[in-house]
Amino acid sequence: MEYARIAEAYERIERTTGRLEMTQLLVDLFKMTPKAVLPQVVYLTQGKLYPDYVGVEVGVAEKLAIRAVAQAASVSETEVQKQLHALGDLGEATMRLMEGHRPKGERLTVQDVYSTLDEMARASGAGSQEKKINLLRDLLRRASPKEAKYIVRTVTGKLRLGVGDMTVLDALAVALAGDKRFRVDLERAYNLSSDLGLVAETLAKGGIEEVRKFHVSVGHPIRPMLAERLASPEEILQKLGGRCIAEYKYDGERVQVHKRGKDVVLYSRRLENITAQYPDAIELVRAHVKAKDAIIECEAVAIDPDTGELRPFQELMHRRRKYGIREAMELYPISLFAFEVLYVDGQDLTLKSYEERHRMLEKIIEPSDRFRIAEYLITEDPEELELFFQRAIQDGCEGVICKAVHPKAVYQAGARGWLWIKYKRDYKSEMTDTVDLVVVGAFYGRGRRGGTYGALLLAAYDPKADLFRSVTKCGSGFSDEDLEQLPKRLKEYKLDHRHPRVDSKMEADVWFAPGMVIEVIGAEITLSPTHTCGWGAIKPNAGLAIRFPRFTGRYRDDKSPEDATTCEEIISMYQRQLKTVAAS
Ligand code: ATP
């Protein structure tokens, strides 16, 4: 097929203002396209060479393209610049400069253009710039002025016809299957493969029947299922038919894992290949996924390696880099929490119910601290759901995602639907004051903190009851020296049971008599099902907790435990925080 046909179609598409007309023009283009080059035509029409997840872009810098245009049109680069300035678009400028140009050699075919652009995209290393310029120059010499305009726009990433994925699917349905109603089948295939070219090819070769048989496959990322949102456990349960699996909504990055034997590839929520960023995740998958081939979805979350506690999303962002990956991996380790399985050893699971998929997940994952299934609760009870939500918040999550468990709860690739409903805290606020808290217990450390304490259980003072009520578990902010000193400093308070004046639902590894006071700052105060400070004051069956607490480095030896921050103070800090949020 001659590239001229495409250039003509682009010209017409560019002039249309309506989507219907645009679709019709695409239908005409796809109808005249031979099957063999249909995928290429589909990619080119969106200004691409491959589906996005492949990560190969034509991407020639404008500066280089100008040089190639100057050589092809036998004018100076300054002349090209001048035209570019006057017309505001290098494609138009090229067409103007090449007016009257007689193409050399045979007419350009789609295949010629595609393979040259592909060669340009793949050129790398020393001399690659020169190579790209030469390839582009030679291609332009073979092009008509109009063809040159669209080639230049394509290579500089400025084709911008505005042809969206859904328009392509509509046009394919009409052009090759004869009716727009087949769009749903094509859309499903697209959602399972993220590859419009592959969908077009399957349709062209095997008709709609083949498209309907489409399966997920390792190496083709699946467009993610997303959640709707509701504001109360009652509404959520009602919407989900009275029963659901509630899962922690981890605050990290969604990772779609594609495993084929030892080969593991990771895709982001936007389906970019992020394998290089997470060598540790690759190792975790190899070590803990028992299936040979699988597609699994996880949330990667930054953790404190010494306590295993979750860290805020901002810490994970340090992992988004191209260089220094090993260092970042040491400084900001992650855990993986799996929440979906879509394929296992030849079996497409996307049309199975979530209960079945979840059972499969449990079967193929050998859990460890660093790789396990997302914390979950199967419930029919709004109160139980509310408590689970509070626990999720306290443990450093954004909230919960409640998932339908009825037989029709399939994986809705690429859709935001009511089979998943998120229940989030929708306020964010900072705790501005530090608090002085009493050390009432400790948890043994792991990893670097083996042999010392990994985290301390801290309490606020309740003068009315004369009790110390737990309010947080703090493992951050301690220097190496602090860690070494802590067992020595706390030795005099050590007990083998909870002190009678300590009120805690949490079981510490070591208990202390109230004595040591330390200064702590946190991200905010939240409702908590496990901490007893302010129990029942804001909501029945809930206390208050400090989220993401950090030791400021100050031991308040000048304070007795009875001088510590009181539960009343924590309650009023929580109420102030709510007001600030309401006002903002
Ligand atoms: P948000 O800003 O709320 O994350 P979103 O549009 O990215 O919005 P949602 O549909 O609202 O996505 O929520 C789903 C996201 O939550 C997923 O993309 C995933 O990254 C994350 N997540 C964390 N834990 C889970 C879980 N257990 N199940 C599903 N998704 C989870």
Side-chain angles (χ1 to χ4, degrees):
M1 182 186 184
E2 288 183 2
Y3 184 71
R5 311 291 291 267
I6 291 202
E8 277 154 25
Y10 289 174
E11 196 172 45
R12 275 186 230 117
I13 290 174
E14 231 181 340
R15 290 206 202 107
T16 62
T17 45
R19 184 177 182 274
L20 275 181
E21 207 185 326
M22 177 189 270
T23 313
Q24 189 50 50
L25 289 168
L26 278 178
V27 169
D28 298 342
L29 175 64
F30 293 158
K31 271 188 176 162
M32 73 170 100
T33 303
K35 286 178 189 171
V37 286
L38 188 63
Q40 282 94 324
V41 171
V42 166
Y43 298 132
L44 285 173
T45 303
Q46 291 194 313
K48 300 173 189 174
L49 294 175
Y50 294 96
D52 288 339
Y53 68 85
V54 176
V56 175
E57 286 171 22
V58 208
V60 170
E62 199 165 68
K63 217 172 64 207
L64 296 188
I66 288 174
R67 273 167 63 190
V69 171
Q71 292 176 21
S74 308
V75 296
S76 68
E77 283 177 42
T78 325
E79 183 56 29
V80 183
Q81 298 269 19
K82 222 164 82 188
Q83 288 292 344
L84 169 60
H85 195 70
L87 298 167
D89 166 58
L90 190 57
E92 288 289 345
T94 308
M95 185 157 82
R96 170 81 57 89
L97 288 163
M98 291 184 66
E99 243 163 47
H101 169 79
R102 296 227 152 263
K104 295 198 181 75
E106 284 170 26
R107 300 288 293 152
L108 276 182
T109 64
V110 173
Q111 205 40 269
D112 291 331
V113 175
Y114 186 89
S115 56
T116 311
L117 300 197
D118 194 25
E119 206 181 334
M120 286 167 65
R122 288 172 189 279
S124 66
S128 62
Q129 289 206 349
E130 249 355 88
K131 184 171 177 193
K132 284 184 190 184
I133 294 172
N134 294 343
L135 283 165
L136 182 55
R137 178 201 58 208
D138 294 348
L139 190 65
L140 293 176
R141 282 184 176 153
R142 293 178 58 198
S144 71
K146 198 194 289 175
E147 289 170 327
K149 166 176 159 180
Y150 290 107
I151 291 173
V152 165
R153 281 195 186 164
T154 306
V155 297
T156 50
K158 299 208 169 116
L159 184 64
R160 298 202 192 118
L161 293 176
V163 176
D165 297 345
M166 294 308 142
T167 318
V168 171
L169 291 173
D170 273 345
L172 284 172
V174 177
L176 282 95
D179 197 305
K180 205 172 149 181
R181 74 192 154 91
F182 295 115
R183 214 278 303 266
V184 281
D185 301 291
L186 297 179
E187 196 175 334
R188 178 174 154 77
Y190 175 52
N191 286 333
L192 296 183
S193 65
S194 312
D195 185 344
L196 282 177
L198 181 65
V199 175
E201 190 178 7
T202 312
L203 180 64
K205 285 191 182 150
I208 203 72
E209 282 316 311
E210 263 326 285
V211 172
R212 286 190 178 137
K213 286 190 217 145
F214 221 88
H215 285 304
V216 295
S217 56
V218 176
H220 285 107
I222 297 153
R223 307 218 311 137
M225 175 167 180
L226 297 168
E228 285 289 353
R229 150 201 311 256
L230 281 175
S232 78
E234 287 80 8
E235 283 174 285
I236 292 174
L237 277 166
Q238 200 188 10
K239 192 90 189 171
L240 294 175
R243 182 166 165 266
C244 73
I245 295 192
E247 292 175 5
Y248 275 16
K249 186 177 195 304
Y250 295 93
D251 195 8
E253 171 165 26
R254 186 172 187 153
V255 177
Q256 196 176 98
V257 177
H258 285 238
K259 175 179 186 291
R260 184 182 283 128
K262 289 266 166 234
D263 290 337
V264 178
V265 176
L266 309 177
Y267 296 103
S268 70
R269 180 179 188 278
R270 299 177 53 200
L271 310 180
E272 296 141 335
N273 187 327
I274 49 167
T275 314
Q277 274 173 41
Y278 290 111
D280 41 357
I282 308 277
E283 285 311 316
L284 288 170
V285 170
R286 285 187 185 138
H288 298 285
V289 176
K290 286 187 280 178
K292 183 171 155 287
D293 300 342
I295 303 176
I296 295 171
E297 286 195 296
C298 310
E299 191 84 353
V301 191
I303 51 146
D304 181 329
D306 303 320
T307 61
E309 279 168 22
L310 304 179
R311 303 298 305 149
F313 176 69
Q314 290 80 324
E315 282 200 16
L316 189 73
M317 286 305 91
H318 297 287
R319 297 289 301 267
R320 276 215 184 139
R321 54 167 81 190
K322 281 200 173 138
Y323 307 102
I325 284 170
R326 291 274 154 194
E327 292 87 318
M329 197 174 99
E330 305 266 304
L331 282 170
Y332 305 100
I334 53 149
S335 278
L336 293 179
F337 296 93
F339 57 81
E340 265 296 349
V341 56
L342 307 173
Y343 175 89
V344 169
D345 294 332
Q347 209 190 343
D348 182 335
L349 301 169
T350 50
L351 293 177
K352 302 270 183 215
S353 75
Y354 187 51
E355 264 189 323
E356 276 179 84
R357 300 201 301 280
H358 204 264
R359 269 201 299 277
M360 178 62 95
L361 205 52
E362 298 199 307
K363 207 166 115 188
I364 62 165
I365 288 181
E366 218 156 63
S368 77
D369 278 354
R370 302 283 305 282
F371 187 7
R372 58 195 141 105
I373 293 176
E375 192 77 19
Y376 69 94
L377 166 81
I378 300 180
T379 185
E380 299 175 5
D381 176 2
E383 255 171 56
E384 200 180 30
L385 181 53
E386 175 67 26
L387 289 179
F388 186 68
F389 165 75
Q390 289 171 13
R391 186 148 73 80
I393 298 289
Q394 183 193 300
D395 287 349
C397 293
E398 279 188 299
V400 291
I401 300 205
C402 302
K403 302 182 176 177
V405 284
H406 52 71
K408 289 193 181 141
V410 298
Y411 187 86
Q412 292 178 317
R416 189 180 291 283
W418 290 103
L419 293 179
W420 283 12
I421 305 177
K422 60 185 164 185
Y423 177 32
K424 288 208 312 195
R425 265 171 340 118
D426 26 22
Y427 62 86
K428 287 242 184 310
S429 71
E430 303 264 311
M431 208 177 130
T432 44
D433 294 343
T434 58
V435 284
D436 298 318
L437 301 174
V438 186
V439 182
V440 295
F443 302 86
Y444 291 124
R446 291 184 283 182
R448 217 161 41 87
R449 294 196 188 170
T452 174
Y453 299 134
L456 302 179
L457 181 63
L458 303 177
Y461 182 53
D462 176 352
K464 277 191 215 128
D466 189 29
L467 286 177
F468 296 91
R469 303 197 195 264
S470 83
V471 68
T472 196
K473 182 177 159 189
C474 175
S476 290
F478 298 103
S479 67
D480 288 346
E481 196 188 327
D482 291 325
L483 291 173
E484 201 194 310
Q485 289 291 322
L486 275 175
K488 291 179 203 149
R489 277 177 172 261
L490 284 162
K491 204 164 144 206
E492 60 175 304
Y493 305 112
K494 201 167 166 184
L495 301 171
D496 57 6
H497 54 86
R498 185 170 49 78
H499 189 275
R501 284 173 71 208
V502 169
D503 176 25
S504 165
K505 282 170 171 275
M506 215 176 229
E507 274 304 317
D509 294 332
V510 182
W511 292 103
F512 303 113
M516 186 198 264
V517 180
I518 62 172
E519 188 183 76
V520 165
I521 179 100
E524 65 181 315
I525 300 169
T526 59
L527 287 171
S528 157
T530 36
H531 288 291
T532 54
C533 169
W535 191 259
I538 305 287
K539 263 200 177 179
N541 293 322
L544 292 174
I546 295 172
R547 204 162 171 248
F548 297 130
R550 186 164 44 79
F551 174 46
T552 63
R554 292 182 66 188
Y555 294 94
R556 299 304 308 259
D557 294 338
D558 54 330
K559 285 199 165 182
S560 76
E562 287 79 9
D563 296 327
T565 302
T566 63
C567 298
E568 279 302 320
E569 283 176 282
I570 303 272
I571 295 169
S572 54
M573 284 170 89
Y574 177 77
Q575 283 163 336
R576 263 205 310 276
Q577 189 183 280
L578 283 189
K579 276 195 207 124
T580 326
V581 172
S584 63

